[in-house]
């Protein structure tokens, strides 16, 4: 199962993403500046995602992953929920 998210207007949309174990989430940056997708717990970090670029992450382990943008502190509290 795959899911997509957009980074636009300094926000992650949707703010909550649901995938099954083994599912991949693809984030696309539609803003005019770079952003990151960085797990609050440190399990993943996209690095800078350029304008119109994407970042893909496959989630193997069931759990809830809250993430933020390290460049823009107001972009926080988005979540990937991995479960059955």
């Amino acid at each position: 199962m795959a899911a997509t998210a957009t980074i636009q207007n300094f926000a992650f949309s949707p703010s909550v993403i649901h995938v099954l174990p083994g599912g991949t989430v693809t984030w696309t940056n539609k803003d005019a500046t770079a952003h990151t997708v960085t797990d609050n717990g440190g399990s993943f970090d996209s690095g800078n995602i350029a304008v119109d670029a994407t970042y893909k992450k496959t989630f193997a382990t069931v759990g809830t992953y809250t993430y933020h943008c390290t460049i823009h502190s107001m972009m926080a509290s988005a979540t990937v929920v991995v479960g059955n």
Side-chain angles (χ1 to χ4, degrees):
M1 177 179 155
T4 60
T6 302
I7 306 168
Q8 191 167 27
N9 299 320
F10 291 86
F12 298 105
S13 180
S15 61
V16 178
I17 301 167
H18 294 270
V19 294
L20 295 174
T24 299
V25 179
T26 301
W27 288 265
T28 302
N29 182 5
K30 292 297 185 181
D31 265 338
T33 188
H35 292 291
T36 73
V37 175
T38 305
D39 179 51
N40 291 359
S43 68
F44 61 90
D45 182 4
S46 65
N48 289 354
I49 305 170
V51 175
D52 290 326
T54 60
Y55 168 67
K56 294 183 181 187
K57 166 71 178 155
T58 300
F59 292 87
T61 305
V62 172
T64 299
Y65 302 85
T66 302
Y67 63 92
H68 63 282
C69 174
T70 59
I71 302 168
H72 305 99
S73 61
M74 73 290 233
M75 295 175 64
S77 301
T79 306
V80 176
V81 178
V82 182
N84 297 325

